[in-house]
Amino acid sequence: MITKKALNTLEYPKVIDKLKGYTTSSVGKAIIEELVPSTSFDQIQVWTEETDEALAVLRVKGNVPLGGLFDIRPHARRAQIGGVLSAMELMEVASTLRSSKIMRRFVEDVASSEDFSIQHLKAYADSIPVLTELEHEINSCIDENGTVLDSASQTLRSIRSQLRTTVQRIREKLDSYTRGQNAAKMLSDAIVTIRNDRYVIPVKSEYRSHYGGIVHDQSSSGQTLFIEPNAVVQLNNDARALRSKEQEEIERILKELTAQVELVASDLFHLVKTMATFDAIFAKAKYGTAEKCTRPTINQDGRIRLVRARHPLIPLQEAVANTIEFGDPDTAVVITGPNTGGKTVTLKTVGLCTLMAQSGIPIPALDGSEIAIFESIFADIGDEQSIEQSLSTFSSHMVNIVDILKKFDDKSLVLFDELGAGTDPQEGAALAIAILDAVHGKGARVMATTHYPELKAYGYNRPGVINASVEFDVETLSPTYKLLLGVPGRSNAFEISKRLGLPQHIITHAEGFTGTDRSEVDTMIASLEESRKRAEQDADQTKRVLEESEKLKQQLAEELATYEAKKEQLTEKAREKARKIVEEARRESETAVKELRELQKQAAFGVKEHEIIEARKRLENALPVNPVLKKEKQKKQRAENLQVGDEVRVLSFGQKGSLLEKLSATEWAVQIGVLKMKLPESDLEFVKPDKPERTVFVHNVAGRSAGGVKLELDLRGERYEDALLRTEKYLDDAVLANYPRVSIIHGKGTGALRQGIQQLLKKDRRVKSYRFGEAGEGGYGVTIVELK
C-alpha cells in the first residue's frame, strides 16, 4: 500500500492538480481527484493501455467531443424519490445524452476507420446506453436555455397565445395614456412599466385623481406614483390568471418529463460514470501530449529504466533530462554531489514517475522507458532548498526512517535524501551505511543521496550497489544537474577556491592535509568523469552518423523504389510494344501463309514464280527479330568463319585490313596497309567485300551481223528475274540480227517461268506472235517467237 504521506512527500497531489486542468467536466475532474496509484499489475496494465489508446486517438484526430457533459446523477436520484426536475436540469440531462451519443459515434468511427486498436475505448463506448427517445422528448419541450417551448403541449401554446393577446391590449391601452395631450404634464415619464407583475404608468402625485385606479408603488421622493388605471385592472387580472394557468401547465410538462427520467435513472448513472471515465482517460492523454510524455513498459521484476526523464513539476524548458537505470542486477544507487546539484530532484523524479505510471499517467521520459510495480513506496526527503517546508532535523529524519524500516519489504521502493545528515559526520556515515545494508540486504530497491565521502566506497564494496553523482561545472562554478551513473561525486573545494582567487600556496598547503588516498580517489574520479565525457561525445557522434546513415538509407530506398517503378513502367511499355510487334507479325504471317496456299492452288493456272517467292519472303520477314541478338549472331558467325584473305575491320583502330595467317585459336596475322600486325580475333570484324561490277555479255552485232547470236535462248535453271532480263536482251540482239523467228527454251517445270516469258512477249512491240513448240520442236518446254 502506498501511504498518503509518501504521496505528499513526492508531491503527487501537484501532478493531480495539473492533470485536472485537462478535464472538460466536473465528473471527469472528480475521477482525477480520487485517482491514486494502484499496486495491481493487471489494473495498471489496463490503465496504461487505455491511456495509450487515447494518445493514439489524439494523434490522429487532435481532439475528442466531450463537451456538454453534466453531472446529472443528483437529478436522477431526485427523480427516483418523487421530485420534479426543473427545465434547466432537464436540459442538462438532454445535453449529457447528446454528448454520450456523439462520443459513442466518434469512438465507433475511429475503431472502424483507423488501423490501430482501441479495444478498451470501444468497450466503454459500446456500454453507453442509447436513450435517444428521452433526449428527443426533452429537446421538443425545452430549449438549450432551459425555457419550456410553446410546442411542449397544445394547451400551453393556447394559453401563451391568449396571454400575448391580453398583454398586447394592456400595452395598447396604457400607450394611449403615454401619448395623450396631458402626458408630458401629468406623467413623470412616457413609459409603461411593471410593478407586482402588473402593468402600470408613472404618474406625478398631484395628478393621481385624474387617472384613478390602484397605486402599486411610489418613487423614493414620493413625487411619482406607479398607478394601474381602472381601464386596465381587469385586463391585468386576466393576464395574471393566464400566467397561473401557464405555470400549472409547465409544472405538468416537467412532471411528465421527470417521470421518463425516473424510468432510466440506473442507465443515466452508468452513462455518467462511463463518460466521466472517458474524460479522465483523455485528460491523461492530453497531459501526456502537452508535457511530451510517453507510455512506459510495466514490469514486475523491480527494474527501473528512465530514458532522459524529467521532473514532472519543473517547466519543460527548464528541466534537465537524465537517464536513470537500476533494479537489475543493481538494486541500490548512492548519489553524491554538492548541494543544489539536483540530487533531491533525481530522487523525486524516480518516485513521481513510478507513482504516475502506477496511476496510468504518461511519464516525462522518452520511449523505451520501463517502470517496476511496487507494492509500497517510502520516501524520507527533507528538501533543504524548499521554502515551503521547515528545515529537516536529524530527529525528524530518524523518525521517518524507523517507520520505513518497520514497513518495507522486497516489493518496496525506498528513497532516502541526505541519509544520516544532521549529526556527527563519522557517526552519520556509519548509520547511513548500516541503514543501506538493512534495506538493500532485504531486496528492496533503494536510492539514497549523501554528502559523506565514506559512502563513495560503498558502491565498490557491496555487490548490487552502484555509485552516482551530479555533475558540477568548475569553469562556471555551477551545477549542470546531470546525473552520472557509475561515477561517485568528488569534492571541488580546491578548484572552486582557485577559481575564486585563493592564493595557490594556501591551496597547496591545504592539499597536504588531505592525504595521499584522498588525492588518488579524486584523481580516479576525475579520470572517470573525463572518460564519461569522451564516451558521451563518441555516443553523440555515433548517433549523428547513425542518423545520417538512416537518412541516406531512406533516400536510397526511395530512389530504388522510384527506379524499380520506372523500370517496371518501361518494361511494361516494352512488353506492350513487343506484343504489338508479335501480333502484327502473326497477322502478316497468317496473310502470307494464306497467299501461299492460294498460290499453290493456282499454280496450275499460270501463277508466276516470283509471286510465290515474294510471298515466302514476306513470311520470313514477318517474324520479329531482336536487332541486338541478330547483330551479335551475325558477328559470331562471321568470326567463326574467318578465312585467310578475308577483309576485316580492326575495331581498336577503325582501319580495314586483310587476313594473312591464323596464328592460334584466338589470334590472326593481319595486313593493314604496309603494316603486318598480330591481333586478337575479338578485335576483328568481317567486312563483306564490295560487289564486282556486273558485266553483261553483249552479243557481237557490229554491222548488223548475226555472228554470235543463236536462234534459240536456253533459260533452264535461270532465276526468274534473270531470265526475264536475258529474254529482253536476246530479243534486242535477234531484232538487230534480222531473225524472223527465234526459240526460247524455258522448260516445263511449274510453269511459272513459261508464263512470265509469254507475258513479257505479249507486251513486247517487237513480237509479232508466239506459240508453243510442236512435238518435234520441244512442245510446251519451248516458245516459238515470230518477230516483226
Side-chain angles (χ1 to χ4, degrees), residues 655-708:
Q655 299 291 326
K656 289 184 179 180
S658 59
L659 300 179
L660 298 178
E661 180 184 0
K662 189 166 187 178
L663 302 176
S664 67
T666 58
E667 289 185 326
W668 285 84
V670 184
Q671 182 74 39
I672 305 176
V674 296
L675 298 176
K676 181 178 180 182
M677 303 181 68
K678 182 172 70 173
L679 296 170
E681 190 173 83
S682 59
D683 195 27
L684 305 177
E685 182 182 22
F686 176 80
V687 177
K688 188 175 181 181
D690 296 334
K691 292 184 179 180
E693 295 184 0
R694 184 173 181 180
T695 57
V696 180
F697 176 76
V698 179
H699 297 283
N700 185 6
V701 294
R704 292 186 177 267
S705 169

Coordinates of all heavy atoms in Angstrom, one line a residue, residues 655-708:
Q655 N 40.5 0.7 -88.8 CA 41.1 0.5 -90.1 C 40.7 -0.8 -90.7 O 40.5 -1.8 -90.0 CB 42.6 0.7 -90.0 CG 43.0 2.0 -89.5 CD 42.8 3.1 -90.5 OE1 42.8 2.9 -91.7 NE2 42.4 4.3 -90.0
K656 N 40.7 -0.9 -92.1 CA 40.5 -2.1 -92.7 C 41.8 -2.8 -93.0 O 42.9 -2.2 -93.1 CB 39.8 -1.9 -94.1 CG 38.3 -1.5 -93.9 CD 37.6 -1.4 -95.3 CE 36.2 -1.0 -95.1 NZ 35.5 -0.9 -96.5
G657 N 41.7 -4.2 -93.1 CA 42.9 -4.9 -93.4 C 42.5 -6.3 -94.0 O 41.3 -6.6 -94.2
S658 N 43.5 -7.1 -94.2 CA 43.2 -8.5 -94.8 C 43.9 -9.5 -93.9 O 45.0 -9.2 -93.4 CB 43.6 -8.6 -96.2 OG 45.0 -8.3 -96.4
L659 N 43.3 -10.7 -93.8 CA 43.9 -11.8 -93.0 C 45.0 -12.5 -93.8 O 44.8 -13.0 -94.9 CB 42.8 -12.7 -92.6 CG 41.6 -12.2 -91.8 CD1 40.6 -13.2 -91.5 CD2 42.1 -11.5 -90.5
L660 N 46.2 -12.6 -93.1 CA 47.3 -13.3 -93.7 C 47.4 -14.7 -93.3 O 47.7 -15.6 -94.1 CB 48.6 -12.5 -93.4 CG 48.7 -11.0 -93.9 CD1 50.0 -10.4 -93.5 CD2 48.5 -11.0 -95.5
E661 N 47.2 -14.9 -91.9 CA 47.5 -16.2 -91.4 C 46.9 -16.3 -90.0 O 46.8 -15.3 -89.2 CB 49.0 -16.4 -91.2 CG 49.4 -17.8 -90.7 CD 50.9 -17.9 -90.5 OE1 51.6 -16.9 -90.8 OE2 51.4 -18.9 -90.0
K662 N 46.3 -17.5 -89.6 CA 45.8 -17.7 -88.3 C 46.9 -18.3 -87.4 O 47.4 -19.4 -87.6 CB 44.6 -18.7 -88.4 CG 43.8 -18.8 -87.0 CD 42.5 -19.5 -87.2 CE 41.7 -19.4 -85.9 NZ 40.4 -20.1 -86.0
L663 N 47.3 -17.5 -86.4 CA 48.4 -17.8 -85.6 C 48.0 -18.8 -84.5 O 48.8 -19.6 -84.1 CB 49.0 -16.5 -85.0 CG 49.5 -15.5 -86.0 CD1 49.9 -14.2 -85.3 CD2 50.6 -16.1 -86.9
S664 N 46.8 -18.6 -83.9 CA 46.3 -19.5 -82.9 C 44.8 -19.5 -82.9 O 44.2 -19.0 -83.9 CB 46.8 -19.1 -81.5 OG 46.2 -17.8 -81.2
A665 N 44.2 -20.2 -81.9 CA 42.7 -20.2 -81.9 C 42.1 -18.9 -81.8 O 40.9 -18.7 -82.2 CB 42.2 -21.2 -80.8
T666 N 42.8 -17.9 -81.2 CA 42.2 -16.6 -81.0 C 43.0 -15.5 -81.6 O 42.6 -14.3 -81.4 CB 42.1 -16.4 -79.5 OG1 43.4 -16.4 -78.9 CG2 41.2 -17.4 -78.8
E667 N 44.0 -15.7 -82.4 CA 44.8 -14.6 -82.9 C 45.1 -14.8 -84.4 O 45.1 -15.9 -84.9 CB 46.2 -14.6 -82.2 CG 46.1 -14.1 -80.8 CD 47.5 -13.9 -80.2 OE1 48.4 -14.7 -80.6 OE2 47.7 -13.0 -79.4
W668 N 45.2 -13.7 -85.1 CA 45.4 -13.7 -86.6 C 46.5 -12.7 -86.9 O 46.8 -11.7 -86.2 CB 44.2 -13.2 -87.3 CG 43.1 -14.2 -87.4 CD1 42.1 -14.5 -86.5 CD2 42.8 -15.1 -88.5 NE1 41.3 -15.5 -86.9 CE2 41.7 -15.9 -88.2 CE3 43.4 -15.3 -89.8 CZ2 41.1 -16.8 -89.0 CZ3 42.9 -16.3 -90.6 CH2 41.8 -17.0 -90.2
A669 N 47.2 -13.0 -88.0 CA 48.2 -12.0 -88.6 C 47.4 -11.2 -89.6 O 46.8 -11.8 -90.6 CB 49.4 -12.8 -89.2
V670 N 47.4 -9.9 -89.5 CA 46.6 -9.0 -90.3 C 47.5 -8.0 -91.0 O 48.4 -7.4 -90.4 CB 45.5 -8.3 -89.4 CG1 44.6 -7.4 -90.3 CG2 44.7 -9.3 -88.6
Q671 N 47.2 -7.8 -92.3 CA 47.9 -6.8 -93.1 C 47.1 -5.6 -93.2 O 46.0 -5.6 -93.7 CB 48.2 -7.4 -94.5 CG 49.0 -6.4 -95.4 CD 50.5 -6.4 -95.0 OE1 51.0 -7.4 -94.7 NE2 51.1 -5.2 -95.0
I672 N 47.6 -4.5 -92.6 CA 46.9 -3.2 -92.6 C 47.8 -2.2 -93.4 O 48.8 -1.7 -92.8 CB 46.6 -2.6 -91.2 CG1 45.8 -3.7 -90.4 CG2 45.8 -1.3 -91.3 CD1 45.6 -3.2 -89.0
G673 N 47.5 -2.0 -94.6 CA 48.4 -1.1 -95.4 C 49.7 -1.8 -95.6 O 49.9 -2.9 -96.0
V674 N 50.8 -1.1 -95.1 CA 52.2 -1.7 -95.2 C 52.5 -2.4 -93.9 O 53.6 -2.9 -93.8 CB 53.2 -0.5 -95.5 CG1 52.9 0.1 -96.9 CG2 53.1 0.5 -94.4
L675 N 51.6 -2.3 -92.9 CA 51.9 -2.9 -91.6 C 51.3 -4.3 -91.5 O 50.2 -4.6 -92.0 CB 51.3 -2.1 -90.5 CG 51.8 -0.7 -90.4 CD1 51.1 0.1 -89.3 CD2 53.3 -0.7 -90.1
K676 N 52.1 -5.2 -90.9 CA 51.6 -6.5 -90.6 C 51.6 -6.6 -89.0 O 52.5 -6.4 -88.3 CB 52.6 -7.5 -91.1 CG 52.2 -9.0 -90.9 CD 53.2 -10.0 -91.5 CE 52.8 -11.4 -91.2 NZ 53.8 -12.4 -91.8
M677 N 50.4 -7.0 -88.5 CA 50.1 -7.0 -87.1 C 49.5 -8.2 -86.6 O 48.8 -8.9 -87.4 CB 49.2 -5.8 -86.7 CG 49.7 -4.4 -87.1 SD 48.6 -3.1 -86.6 CE 48.9 -3.2 -84.8
K678 N 49.8 -8.6 -85.3 CA 49.2 -9.7 -84.7 C 48.0 -9.2 -83.8 O 48.3 -8.4 -82.9 CB 50.2 -10.5 -83.9 CG 49.6 -11.7 -83.2 CD 50.7 -12.6 -82.6 CE 51.3 -11.9 -81.4 NZ 52.2 -12.8 -80.6
L679 N 46.8 -9.6 -84.1 CA 45.6 -9.1 -83.4 C 44.7 -10.2 -82.9 O 44.6 -11.2 -83.6 CB 44.9 -8.1 -84.3 CG 45.6 -6.9 -84.7 CD1 44.8 -6.2 -85.8 CD2 45.8 -5.9 -83.6
P680 N 44.0 -10.0 -81.8 CA 43.1 -11.0 -81.3 C 41.8 -11.0 -82.2 O 41.4 -10.0 -82.8 CB 42.7 -10.5 -79.9 CG 43.0 -9.1 -79.9 CD 44.1 -8.8 -80.8
E681 N 41.3 -12.2 -82.3 CA 40.1 -12.4 -83.2 C 38.9 -11.5 -82.7 O 38.1 -11.1 -83.5 CB 39.7 -13.9 -83.2 CG 38.6 -14.2 -84.3 CD 38.4 -15.7 -84.3 OE1 37.6 -16.2 -83.5 OE2 39.0 -16.3 -85.2
S682 N 38.8 -11.3 -81.4 CA 37.7 -10.5 -80.8 C 37.8 -9.0 -81.3 O 36.8 -8.3 -81.2 CB 37.7 -10.5 -79.3 OG 39.0 -10.0 -78.8
D683 N 39.0 -8.6 -81.8 CA 39.1 -7.2 -82.2 C 38.9 -7.1 -83.7 O 39.1 -6.0 -84.3 CB 40.5 -6.7 -81.9 CG 40.7 -5.2 -82.0 OD1 39.6 -4.5 -81.8 OD2 41.8 -4.7 -82.2
L684 N 38.5 -8.2 -84.4 CA 38.3 -8.2 -85.8 C 36.8 -8.3 -86.2 O 36.1 -9.1 -85.5 CB 39.1 -9.3 -86.5 CG 40.6 -9.3 -86.1 CD1 41.2 -10.6 -86.8 CD2 41.3 -8.1 -86.6
E685 N 36.4 -7.6 -87.2 CA 35.0 -7.7 -87.7 C 35.1 -7.9 -89.2 O 35.7 -7.2 -89.9 CB 34.3 -6.4 -87.4 CG 32.8 -6.5 -87.8 CD 32.1 -5.2 -87.6 OE1 32.8 -4.1 -87.5 OE2 30.9 -5.2 -87.5
F686 N 34.3 -9.0 -89.6 CA 34.3 -9.3 -91.0 C 33.7 -8.2 -91.8 O 32.7 -7.6 -91.4 CB 33.5 -10.6 -91.2 CG 33.4 -11.0 -92.7 CD1 34.4 -11.6 -93.4 CD2 32.2 -10.7 -93.3 CE1 34.3 -12.0 -94.7 CE2 32.1 -11.1 -94.7 CZ 33.1 -11.7 -95.4
V687 N 34.3 -7.9 -93.0 CA 33.8 -6.9 -93.9 C 33.5 -7.5 -95.2 O 34.3 -8.2 -95.8 CB 34.8 -5.7 -94.1 CG1 34.3 -4.7 -95.1 CG2 35.2 -5.1 -92.8
K688 N 32.2 -7.4 -95.6 CA 31.7 -8.0 -96.8 C 32.4 -7.3 -98.0 O 32.4 -6.1 -98.1 CB 30.2 -7.9 -96.9 CG 29.7 -8.7 -98.1 CD 28.1 -8.6 -98.1 CE 27.6 -9.4 -99.2 NZ 26.1 -9.4 -99.2
P689 N 33.0 -8.1 -98.9 CA 33.7 -7.4 -100.0 C 32.7 -6.7 -100.9 O 31.6 -7.1 -101.0 CB 34.4 -8.6 -100.7 CG 33.6 -9.8 -100.3 CD 33.1 -9.5 -98.9
D690 N 33.2 -5.6 -101.5 CA 32.4 -4.9 -102.5 C 32.0 -5.8 -103.7 O 32.9 -6.6 -104.1 CB 33.1 -3.6 -103.0 CG 33.4 -2.7 -101.9 OD1 32.6 -2.7 -100.9 OD2 34.4 -1.9 -102.0
K691 N 30.8 -5.7 -104.1 CA 30.3 -6.5 -105.3 C 31.0 -6.0 -106.5 O 31.1 -4.8 -106.8 CB 28.8 -6.3 -105.5 CG 28.0 -6.9 -104.4 CD 26.5 -6.8 -104.7 CE 25.7 -7.5 -103.7 NZ 24.2 -7.4 -104.0
P692 N 31.5 -7.0 -107.3 CA 32.2 -6.6 -108.6 C 31.1 -6.0 -109.5 O 30.0 -6.4 -109.5 CB 32.8 -7.9 -109.1 CG 32.0 -8.9 -108.5 CD 31.6 -8.4 -107.1
E693 N 31.5 -5.1 -110.4 CA 30.6 -4.5 -111.3 C 30.1 -5.6 -112.2 O 30.8 -6.5 -112.7 CB 31.3 -3.5 -112.2 CG 31.7 -2.3 -111.3 CD 32.3 -1.2 -112.2 OE1 32.3 -1.4 -113.5 OE2 32.7 -0.1 -111.7
R694 N 28.7 -5.6 -112.4 CA 28.1 -6.7 -113.2 C 28.4 -6.5 -114.6 O 28.2 -5.4 -115.2 CB 26.6 -6.6 -113.0 CG 25.9 -7.8 -113.7 CD 24.4 -7.8 -113.3 NE 23.7 -8.8 -114.0 CZ 22.4 -9.1 -113.9 NH1 21.7 -8.3 -113.1 NH2 21.9 -10.1 -114.5
T695 N 29.0 -7.5 -115.3 CA 29.3 -7.5 -116.7 C 28.3 -8.2 -117.5 O 27.8 -9.3 -117.2 CB 30.7 -8.1 -117.0 OG1 30.6 -9.5 -116.5 CG2 31.8 -7.4 -116.2
V696 N 27.7 -7.5 -118.4 CA 26.7 -8.0 -119.3 C 27.3 -8.4 -120.6 O 28.0 -7.6 -121.3 CB 25.6 -7.0 -119.5 CG1 24.5 -7.6 -120.4 CG2 25.0 -6.5 -118.2
F697 N 27.1 -9.7 -120.9 CA 27.6 -10.2 -122.2 C 26.8 -9.5 -123.3 O 25.6 -9.6 -123.4 CB 27.4 -11.7 -122.2 CG 27.9 -12.3 -123.5 CD1 29.2 -12.4 -123.8 CD2 26.9 -12.7 -124.5 CE1 29.6 -13.0 -125.0 CE2 27.4 -13.2 -125.7 CZ 28.7 -13.4 -126.0
V698 N 27.5 -8.9 -124.2 CA 26.9 -8.2 -125.3 C 27.3 -9.0 -126.6 O 28.5 -9.2 -126.9 CB 27.4 -6.7 -125.5 CG1 26.7 -6.1 -126.7 CG2 27.1 -6.0 -124.2
H699 N 26.2 -9.4 -127.3 CA 26.5 -10.2 -128.5 C 27.1 -9.3 -129.6 O 26.7 -8.1 -129.6 CB 25.2 -10.8 -129.0 CG 24.6 -11.8 -128.1 ND1 25.1 -13.1 -127.9 CD2 23.6 -11.7 -127.2 CE1 24.4 -13.7 -127.0 NE2 23.5 -12.9 -126.5
N700 N 27.9 -9.8 -130.3 CA 28.5 -9.0 -131.4 C 27.5 -8.8 -132.5 O 27.0 -9.7 -133.2 CB 29.7 -9.8 -132.0 CG 30.5 -9.0 -133.0 OD1 30.2 -7.8 -133.2 ND2 31.4 -9.6 -133.7
V701 N 27.1 -7.5 -132.6 CA 26.1 -7.2 -133.6 C 26.7 -6.1 -134.5 O 25.9 -5.4 -135.2 CB 24.8 -6.6 -133.0 CG1 24.1 -7.7 -132.2 CG2 25.1 -5.5 -132.0
A702 N 28.0 -6.0 -134.6 CA 28.6 -5.0 -135.4 C 28.2 -5.2 -136.9 O 28.2 -6.3 -137.4 CB 30.1 -5.0 -135.3
G703 N 27.7 -4.1 -137.5 CA 27.3 -4.1 -138.9 C 26.1 -5.0 -139.1 O 26.0 -5.6 -140.1
R704 N 25.2 -5.1 -138.0 CA 24.0 -5.9 -138.0 C 24.4 -7.3 -138.5 O 23.6 -8.0 -139.1 CB 23.0 -5.3 -139.0 CG 22.4 -4.0 -138.5 CD 21.3 -3.5 -139.4 NE 20.7 -2.3 -138.8 CZ 19.7 -2.3 -138.0 NH1 19.1 -3.4 -137.6 NH2 19.3 -1.1 -137.5
S705 N 25.5 -7.8 -138.1 CA 25.9 -9.2 -138.4 C 25.3 -10.1 -137.4 O 25.1 -9.8 -136.3 CB 27.5 -9.3 -138.3 OG 27.8 -10.7 -138.4
A706 N 24.9 -11.2 -137.8 CA 24.3 -12.2 -136.9 C 25.3 -13.0 -136.2 O 25.0 -14.0 -135.5 CB 23.4 -13.1 -137.8
G707 N 26.6 -12.7 -136.4 CA 27.6 -13.5 -135.7 C 27.5 -13.5 -134.2 O 27.4 -12.4 -133.7
G708 N 27.5 -14.6 -133.6 CA 27.4 -14.7 -132.1 C 26.0 -14.8 -131.6 O 25.9 -15.1 -130.4

